[in-house]
Amino acid sequence: MTRPRILSGMRPTGPLHLGNLLGALDNWVQLQDQYDCFYTIVDWHSLTTDYADPSAIRENIVEVAADWLAAGLDPARSVLFVQSQVPEHAELHLLLSMITPAPWLERVPTYKEQQQQLTDRDLSTYGFLGYPLLQTADIIIYKAAAVPVGEDQAPHIELTREIVRRFNNFYGPVFPEPQTLLTPTPRMPGTDGRKMSKSYGNAIYLLDSPETVREKLRPMLTDPARKRRTDPGDPDKCPVFDLHKAFSTRATQDWAAQGCRSAGIGCIDCKMKLAEHLVERLAEIHARRPEYASRPDTVWDILREGASKARETARATMEDVRAAMKIHYA
Ligand code: SF4
């Protein structure tokens, strides 16, 4: 029986952190058993915001792919590839741009939000406005049935469906409308209590050593009401406890919650217990990662093979698209 196809992607921003693991990667690994999975490292998407300095992209692709492979994405079960190695995405993006009204892109929430947040660069570019459209091309070129995403990305999938309906309405039923496969994303605070993010400098990375994990956790923000060891705390107001909920056993969570509320444990005890669970979770990834991170050629071979599989599907779709749009002249 053919399994439904899904596609998802990540930008090559360098080594992945715990937020990436819980927010996407763990879920992607599970989905390999139920779906025909296409996972892509979207290097062109990086250029929509980091066009002025692309020097790190190549190295970052290897870092992301090494994390993917170490975390359990399996090239024998999933198609793993780099977006720009399947240039058909760009052709479909161009053709979709002919039919997409610019206001549809201007009203995507992240368009204005990111322009306000990333003030150190000029994001009034054509490429930045068009990135949700490129994302649409990434998805529909594989006629994906669904896209696993976090809630923040859901509006993009809605836009994809609108564009698919418009395309099919003009040229006939070429594309299925992809569904949103919502990934449950637990709250994943960084060491300063804000959302874990590479750009905030508050992330714990998959490749961090046990010592680094402990060093990063030691000064981590806790319940601000717990100033002294003798003050009882509220685990529901503590970002450390959010990490316990994601990585510790039920027994440890109960121990931390009870000890916090009764001031029976100190915050350092609590954090070092969390570190034990985190280190255990990362040990498996650490055991596999060097096999890939130290052999970029092997990683590129895997990605090239993935791109060649992806291209077979993408080429077939583009035949359909050109025929539907009456630009098929062979
Ligand atoms: S004991 Fe644990 S849960 Fe309570 S405030 Fe300290 S770190 Fe947070």
Side-chain angles (χ1 to χ4, degrees):
M1 199 181 75
T2 3
R3 294 186 295 178
R5 179 168 298 152
I6 57 169
L7 175 129
S8 207
M10 274 187 205
R11 290 183 181 207
T13 50
L16 302 181
H17 54 64
L18 297 180
N20 304 123
L21 181 69
L22 276 252
L25 202 44
D26 270 352
N27 187 45
W28 290 10
V29 171
Q30 303 299 326
L31 292 170
Q32 294 182 117
D33 296 327
Q34 307 157 45
Y35 292 93
D36 179 21
C37 298
F38 281 58
Y39 296 128
T40 176
I41 299 176
V42 286
D43 53 344
W44 282 332
H45 283 280
S46 291
L47 290 174
T48 63
T49 48
D50 299 334
Y51 55 83
D53 181 12
S55 55
I57 289 185
R58 187 184 171 85
E59 197 183 316
N60 286 348
I61 287 173
V62 175
E63 294 288 350
V64 169
D67 279 336
W68 281 11
L69 294 159
L73 287 188
D74 175 3
R77 289 189 291 158
S78 293
V79 181
L80 311 178
F81 66 101
V82 176
Q83 179 191 35
S84 68
Q85 292 193 321
V86 185
E88 286 77 8
H89 289 226
E91 183 186 355
L92 183 56
H93 177 215
L94 172 82
L95 294 176
L96 294 177
S97 76
M98 305 300 171
I99 67 160
T100 304
W104 288 17
L105 298 171
E106 285 158 357
R107 72 170 192 234
V108 171
T110 46
Y111 179 57
K112 288 260 151 36
E113 273 166 32
Q114 291 209 4
Q115 276 187 330
Q116 280 158 7
Q117 279 166 15
L118 304 175
T119 47
D120 59 336
R121 61 202 90 172
D122 177 6
L123 292 183
S124 61
T125 57
Y126 177 56
F128 182 66
L129 176 66
Y131 100 85
L133 191 60
L134 179 56
Q135 208 172 41
T136 295
D138 299 336
I139 297 163
I140 69 176
I141 203 161
Y142 301 105
K143 300 189 177 174
V147 187
V149 285
E151 251 170 68
D152 56 332
Q153 287 285 310
H156 289 187
I157 311 305
E158 193 45 53
L159 174 73
T160 296
R161 278 199 289 274
E162 277 182 80
I163 293 168
V164 162
R165 286 195 287 272
R166 191 168 166 90
F167 184 99
N168 289 349
N169 194 37
F170 284 137
Y171 310 115
V174 173
F175 296 111
E177 279 183 45
Q179 300 306 306
T180 305
L181 203 62
L182 261 193
T183 306
T185 38
R187 215 182 99 71
M188 185 55 52
T191 49
D192 59 0
R194 292 186 292 172
K195 186 180 173 189
M196 190 176 287
S197 160
K198 189 181 178 200
S199 47
Y200 292 153
N202 65 1
I204 297 174
Y205 292 95
L206 305 193
L207 53 67
D208 280 347
S209 68
E211 295 71 38
T212 307
V213 169
R214 282 190 282 271
E215 267 164 37
K216 286 185 175 177
L217 286 180
R218 209 171 275 278
M220 182 166 174
L221 192 90
T222 60
D223 172 8
R226 201 168 182 214
K227 293 196 173 59
R228 287 176 299 264
R229 167 74 172 75
T230 47
D231 294 335
D234 181 353
D236 295 327
K237 292 188 181 143
C238 177
V240 174
F241 196 70
D242 285 322
L243 296 186
H244 268 301
K245 284 194 276 194
F247 294 101
S248 299
T249 57
R250 189 77 233 176
T252 298
Q253 289 176 41
D254 292 346
W255 167 85
Q258 206 274 332
C260 179
R261 290 198 177 97
S262 63
I265 58 168
C267 289
I268 293 294
D269 306 327
C270 186
K271 290 171 177 176
M272 292 307 106
K273 194 74 177 167
L274 167 64
E276 280 174 32
H277 290 282
L278 257 178
V279 164
E280 196 183 316
R281 175 69 182 82
L282 295 180
E284 225 177 278
I285 296 177
H286 289 181
R288 284 194 290 233
R289 200 178 189 282
E291 190 185 328
Y292 303 107
S294 61
R295 287 160 53 205
D297 289 351
T298 308
V299 172
W300 280 110
D301 285 346
I302 291 170
L303 293 172
R304 258 189 298 271
E305 202 176 309
S308 113
K309 283 188 210 157
R311 269 198 104 171
E312 278 173 34
T313 309
R315 280 185 175 137
T317 302
M318 288 316 297
E319 289 287 310
D320 297 346
V321 170
R322 289 183 213 112
M325 294 183 82
K326 315 285 183 242
I327 51 169
H328 194 276
Y329 309 123

